[in-house]
Amino acid sequence: MRRFSLWVRDNPVVADSVLAVGLFLLDLAALQSSTQKPVFLVFALLLPLPVVVRRVYPRTAALALFVLAQLSTGLSGALGDHTLHPSSLGLGIALYTLVAYVGRRQGLFYLALLLADGVSTMLVLHQDPTTVVASTLTFYALCWTLAEFTGARHAYDTEVQARLAVADYDRERRAHDAVAAERTRIARELHDVVAHTVSVMIVQADGARYTLRRDPDAAERALGTIAGTGRDALRELRRTVALLRTEHAPDDLPQHGTAGIARVVAMMRDTGLAVDLELSGELDDVPPEVSLGVHRVVQEALTNTLRHAGAHPKAWVTVRRTGDRVHIEVVDTGGVPVHTAITGSGLGLVGMRERIAVLGGVMAAGREPSGRWRVAAELPVHRETP
């Protein structure tokens, strides 16, 4: 049943077709009351058709239903047939669809059209105003209320999915950082092995050169030491390099330059966080390690905004390059933290400061007098090697 439910959800036309057939059967049940059966049957077939695509093309379906309802009312009134089409309930379904899947503004506009249609139907078919007004308002109010609940549920599900996507990305990023840290440790090991071994071999080679003629036995021992040390070093190098052969840089992990910053901002916007982004200067020409540092600071600052800046947070991100310096500023609205699907370790600011310090930059973070939270960092494009 769950698989069937998921399949129906992914194929809305199927469920909506069943709904359209139900409206058509209601019209068939009312066919006997009509004095113009051929005309009634034609509209009984036409009126439910837009319902089939109501979730695929909600605006078009709603407009088509309204036009068909107007034509049906006008033609029936002209022919003297006062029988109502039960499939006109599709107008309420269209209102529900617009409010739930498109927006309240379009729903209000369509509701005004429906109320005008109700008044025209009452006048053309000479119906009791009290009954028509009460039933119409009650029906449309029910449709609107159900749409509000459905729309709120959809918005909640969408935000949860987006936040889970951010959490997954954050977990992958941390795993990538852990692997990168391990590779750095291995590189240091490699450096230590090479530096130590080569130093020993050089000393022994110098000793063998000086004692070659005066003390051949000492020279032979020195050469043996060189050979043994070289074999040990080669074995250690093979073991260490084997750990470095596997690449761990999937395409969906941090990009450099403006593309990487834009990707982080787009991901945060998907979670419901309003973000204004301003980029200036030649940011795509900075070294990869500096670009990755900028990427990390922006990501960590926006993640903190999402976690701690209240129920309706907004952030302003500015990244600009002036000469040989890159300036980063992330300001958010501040506010009371709310519970989210993403939990943090509390070390975000510490991690940002460490990364900025490694790159030779400076960073400041804190709350401003206006209540906003501000993270500002400055990085050199090129750092001198000591």
Side-chain angles (χ1 to χ4, degrees):
M1 289 301 296
R2 177 171 175 77
R3 290 181 180 178
F4 177 74
S5 175
L6 293 174
W7 181 81
V8 170
R9 187 186 65 181
D10 294 335
N11 297 272
V13 173
V14 176
D16 293 336
S17 297
V18 174
L19 181 59
V21 170
L23 293 176
F24 174 68
L25 293 178
L26 289 177
D27 266 9
L28 286 184
L31 179 62
Q32 299 300 323
S33 303
S34 175
T35 59
Q36 301 291 332
K37 290 182 174 57
V39 176
F40 189 91
L41 185 59
V42 169
F43 281 102
L45 289 169
L46 293 178
L47 282 170
L49 287 180
V51 176
V52 175
V53 293
R54 68 181 183 92
R55 281 184 283 182
V56 181
Y57 305 105
R59 297 180 180 86
T60 304
L63 182 60
L65 266 169
F66 180 77
V67 172
L68 288 172
Q70 289 292 309
L71 290 175
S72 173
T73 301
L75 189 57
S76 297
L79 296 175
D81 185 5
H82 296 169
T83 305
L84 288 174
H85 283 272
S87 59
S88 297
L89 294 173
L91 293 171
I93 296 174
L95 175 63
Y96 163 88
T97 304
L98 284 176
V99 176
Y101 295 96
V102 180
R104 293 189 183 93
R105 181 177 300 178
Q106 291 84 350
L108 282 173
F109 178 74
Y110 195 67
L111 179 61
L113 292 179
L114 293 182
L115 294 177
D117 174 65
V119 172
S120 64
T121 301
M122 178 183 64
L123 295 176
V124 171
L125 302 183
H126 307 291
Q127 295 175 332
D128 181 17
T130 305
T131 303
V132 171
V133 170
S135 60
T136 299
L137 291 179
T138 301
F139 176 60
Y140 291 150
L142 177 62
C143 292
W144 189 288
T145 303
L146 291 175
E148 288 287 347
F149 280 109
T150 303
R153 182 64 186 179
H154 287 166
Y156 173 78
D157 291 341
T158 300
E159 183 172 348
V160 167
Q161 290 297 327
R163 289 176 181 250
L164 289 177
V166 171
D168 290 341
Y169 179 81
D170 191 58
R171 184 173 60 252
E172 291 179 3
R173 176 180 64 84
R174 293 180 187 278
H176 179 268
D177 287 347
V179 173
E182 179 64 14
R183 290 164 72 88
T184 301
R185 185 189 66 80
I186 294 172
R188 289 171 182 163
E189 260 185 45
L190 187 61
H191 172 269
D192 293 343
V193 169
V194 172
H196 169 74
T197 305
V198 171
S199 298
V200 172
M201 293 172 70
I202 290 173
V203 170
Q204 293 294 323
D206 286 340
R209 183 161 60 92
Y210 285 117
T211 60
L212 180 61
R213 299 185 183 279
R214 290 180 299 160
D215 191 351
D217 292 337
E220 184 179 358
R221 288 195 299 272
L223 292 174
T225 302
I226 292 173
T229 303
R231 278 192 290 269
D232 292 341
L234 182 59
R235 188 184 309 112
E236 186 67 18
L237 286 174
R238 284 174 176 170
R239 183 189 69 82
T240 307
V241 171
L243 298 175
L244 297 173
R245 291 187 182 276
T246 304
E247 289 295 332
H248 187 80
D251 293 338
D252 57 344
L253 288 175
Q255 303 173 12
H256 298 297
T258 55
I261 300 172
R263 185 175 187 271
V264 170
V265 170
M267 179 176 294
M268 290 300 172
R269 283 172 178 163
D270 289 341
T271 68
L273 175 64
V275 183
D276 287 345
L277 175 63
E278 180 182 347
L279 303 174
S280 60
E282 298 296 330
L283 295 173
D284 290 326
D285 294 337
V286 301
E289 63 273 12
V290 176
S291 182
L292 187 57
V294 174
H295 180 283
R296 289 287 192 249
V297 169
V298 172
Q299 182 185 40
E300 191 67 38
L302 290 180
T303 302
N304 288 339
T305 297
L306 187 64
R307 292 170 180 157
H308 306 300
H312 301 287
K314 182 174 182 178
W316 293 264
V317 178
T318 303
V319 182
R320 69 180 186 277
R321 177 180 176 179
T322 56
D324 61 348
R325 311 290 289 183
V326 177
H327 304 270
I328 312 162
E329 184 180 63
V330 181
V331 182
D332 63 47
T333 51
V336 180
V338 296
H339 173 73
T340 68
I342 306 172
T343 58
S345 63
L347 300 177
L349 291 177
V350 175
M352 280 193 287
R353 285 195 176 96
E354 290 178 353
R355 183 177 292 275
I356 294 298
V358 168
L359 295 172
V362 293
M363 192 193 91
R367 192 172 297 279
E368 296 182 327
S370 62
R372 296 185 174 187
W373 185 269
R374 178 176 177 267
V375 175
E378 182 178 328
L379 292 171
V381 175
H382 302 287
R383 185 184 182 188
E384 294 184 2
T385 303

